[in-house]
Amino acid sequence: MDEKETVEQDWLEMYLSYSRNNEAHPEFHFWTALTILGTNLRRSVYFRKGYYTVYPNLWSLIVAPSGKKKTTAVQIGYNIVTKMDHVKVLADRGSPEGLAEMLGEKEPDTEIIESQALIYAPELSNFMDKATHMAGLIPLLLRLYDCPERWIYK
């Protein structure tokens, strides 16, 4: 095991230890931690596959009955992510236009456009309601999942 793997393993263990003293299920914290890690990796980890590059995206959904403290677990991670300057967050509701605008913003104090984001939706049904479906948000998300090198939203 090299040093980088050790650091990531230690970070995960530290996060799980930090988040364990509440009623949420440990698996909810595990997936929240992986989502935070994936958000921070951005495009720094990838696999070249000849004519294209694969970036390991992570879409995380925590599904459980009401009252199981899903939001409790996710809120801990969300509070950490929102303190990171380099992470763009689209929270609660979104439109294709809003997402495209956010992804096209330049990083602070640079001319670099980094088009990665965390979508935070405690209630997925509110984020992806019939109106956003009709507006084309789902096809846009599916297109962006491929991490195109260049993407123009018209």
Side-chain angles (χ1 to χ4, degrees), residues 44-122:
S44 63
V45 175
Y46 54 87
F47 305 96
R48 295 219 186 271
K49 303 296 276 179
Y51 294 104
Y52 61 96
T53 302
V54 176
Y55 297 94
N57 285 328
L58 182 62
W59 287 14
S60 306
L61 295 174
I62 297 176
V63 180
S66 295
K68 295 295 183 180
K69 307 298 181 189
K70 301 176 295 288
T71 303
T72 300
V74 173
Q75 188 68 43
I76 293 169
Y78 176 76
N79 290 340
I80 292 170
V81 165
T82 56
K83 291 179 175 81
M84 299 173 183
D85 292 334
H86 65 279
V87 176
K88 297 174 183 176
V89 178
L90 181 63
D92 297 317
R93 295 187 54 85
S95 68
E97 294 79 13
L99 179 60
E101 182 179 325
M102 181 184 67
L103 293 176
E105 293 172 354
K106 293 178 182 172
E107 292 293 304
D109 303 321
T110 72
E111 291 298 311
I112 298 171
I113 296 175
E114 288 285 344
S115 298
Q116 295 84 221
L118 172 71
I119 296 175
Y120 173 70

Side-chain angles (χ1 to χ4, degrees), residues 1-79:
M1 183 179 310
D2 66 25
E3 183 178 319
K4 187 173 183 179
E5 290 173 320
T6 303
V7 170
E8 290 172 3
Q9 181 181 5
D10 290 345
W11 183 89
L12 183 58
E13 288 172 2
M14 287 188 309
Y15 182 86
L16 294 175
S17 176
Y18 169 75
S19 62
R20 75 171 172 234
N21 292 321
N22 62 62
E23 299 169 335
H25 195 281
E27 288 182 8
F28 299 167
H29 293 298
F30 175 78
W31 285 103
T32 299
L34 290 185
T35 301
I36 294 169
L37 192 57
T39 300
N40 281 286
L41 289 176
R42 301 162 89 178
R43 287 183 158 219
S44 63
V45 175
Y46 54 87
F47 305 96
R48 295 219 186 271
K49 303 296 276 179
Y51 294 104
Y52 61 96
T53 302
V54 176
Y55 297 94
N57 285 328
L58 182 62
W59 287 14
S60 306
L61 295 174
I62 297 176
V63 180
S66 295
K68 295 295 183 180
K69 307 298 181 189
K70 301 176 295 288
T71 303
T72 300
V74 173
Q75 188 68 43
I76 293 169
Y78 176 76
N79 290 340

